[in-house]
Amino acid sequence: MRELHTRYGKRGLGYAWLFLEPMLLAVLVVSLKMFSRERHYGAGIGVVPFIVLGYTMFIMFRGIWNRADSALEANLPLMYHRMVTLFDILLSRALLEAAASMTAFAMLIGLCIMLDMADLPARPLYFFTGFLQYFWFSFALSMIVCGATYENSTLQKFVHPISYILLPLSGAFFMVKWFPHNFHGLIAYWPMTSMFEEMRYGWFEAAPDDFFYPAYVITICMVLTLLGLLSIKLVRRKVELK
């Protein structure tokens, strides 16, 4: 609640900006594709819902990743309270980003459904499973980023550029089956691609189920979570409250 109030407060659009910010960015990208001649990425997969899903989900990752390096400095006064941990601060920020992105996605995909540009999810369980894995992956990385960038201004400068580099590599805007068969295994084993493939399989009836590996992704997330917990534990020892 503190994070929500300090970031949005009662100024301007207030709490409405929580979901309007990711929604406006997604609308801009979608509007560019709506004027293209291509309306489907294969049978049963519309361009607009494809972009809506990919971009709104990536916005969540970008928000969690980009704000991880400043999480401790922005909330340092809270560390006076022994019951408040750095894990709590990072988790609250991540949940806020997830809520904003999911709200934006729900509103945009709902509009697409009303305009007959999209259908309801074909396999909701797969979609939400992929989303939870994606959130877990993003949060685990945020702990590592927070630990690695604390008192390291050089690394902090690379946080935002890396998020731009990951945008075309994430799998948000492409499907593994579009690439030559020889590259399928290599591309699908990139965790972000696997999670997007699972979310698309959950939403689109025609999406393939050959290119996502939940057990592999969960293993990666567990390893990243362990590294993240160790990172913030080491950082906590360095924090000096004055």
Side-chain angles (χ1 to χ4, degrees):
M1 292 300 296
R2 178 185 181 277
E3 182 69 25
L4 184 65
H5 183 72
T6 54
R7 188 184 302 181
Y8 301 102
K10 298 181 180 180
R11 293 171 297 178
L13 294 174
Y15 295 111
W17 196 246
L18 171 66
F19 57 87
L20 284 178
E21 181 181 10
M23 196 169 87
L24 286 173
L25 292 172
V27 166
L28 177 62
V29 176
V30 169
S31 62
L32 295 176
K33 293 299 295 183
M34 287 182 68
F35 292 102
S36 66
R37 294 180 179 179
E38 190 176 17
R39 298 295 179 178
H40 290 81
Y41 287 150
I45 302 179
V47 173
V48 174
F50 184 96
I51 298 297
V52 167
L53 190 154
Y55 197 72
T56 52
M57 293 300 107
F58 185 82
I59 286 174
M60 180 186 74
F61 169 82
R62 191 195 65 179
I64 295 173
W65 170 277
N66 283 351
R67 289 188 169 93
D69 63 323
S70 62
L72 182 54
E73 290 84 353
N75 294 277
L76 195 60
L78 289 179
M79 303 304 291
Y80 281 99
H81 305 281
R82 295 184 63 86
M83 66 175 60
V84 178
T85 66
L86 185 52
F87 179 89
D88 299 329
I89 293 171
L90 289 169
L91 181 60
S92 65
R93 284 192 160 200
L95 290 173
L96 195 58
E97 295 295 338
S101 297
M102 184 55 78
T103 302
F105 171 74
M107 295 181 70
L108 287 172
I109 204 70
L111 180 61
C112 290
I113 292 172
M114 287 191 296
L115 296 176
D116 200 26
M117 301 173 66
D119 299 315
L120 292 170
R123 309 169 189 91
L125 182 60
Y126 280 93
F127 173 76
F128 285 109
T129 300
F131 173 78
L132 290 175
Q133 292 172 14
Y134 191 58
F135 173 79
W136 184 6
F137 178 79
S138 305
F139 173 62
L141 284 178
S142 74
M143 291 191 290
I144 297 174
V145 170
C146 181
T149 57
Y150 183 68
E151 295 184 334
N152 193 325
S153 58
T154 302
L155 283 179
Q156 286 181 343
K157 290 180 171 54
F158 287 95
V159 173
H160 289 259
I162 288 175
S163 69
Y164 295 121
I165 294 171
L166 288 176
L167 178 59
L169 302 177
S170 64
F173 301 118
F174 66 81
M175 300 180 70
V176 177
K177 69 176 184 179
W178 295 352
F179 293 86
H181 185 270
N182 294 338
F183 294 96
H184 285 178
L186 179 63
I187 298 171
Y189 272 99
W190 169 236
M192 296 183 76
T193 300
S194 179
M195 288 178 274
F196 271 110
E197 288 287 324
E198 184 168 1
M199 285 188 282
R200 280 192 289 262
Y201 177 72
W203 199 273
F204 300 108
E205 179 68 34
D209 62 348
D210 304 322
F211 308 114
F212 60 88
Y213 310 99
Y216 168 74
V217 170
I218 290 172
T219 302
I220 294 293
C221 289
M222 291 175 66
V223 172
L224 292 176
T225 301
L226 176 60
L227 294 175
L229 291 172
L230 291 174
S231 297
I232 61 176
K233 183 178 181 180
L234 293 174
V235 166
R236 183 64 182 88
R237 295 175 180 175
K238 299 178 182 178
V239 176
E240 295 182 3
L241 301 176
K242 300 179 181 180

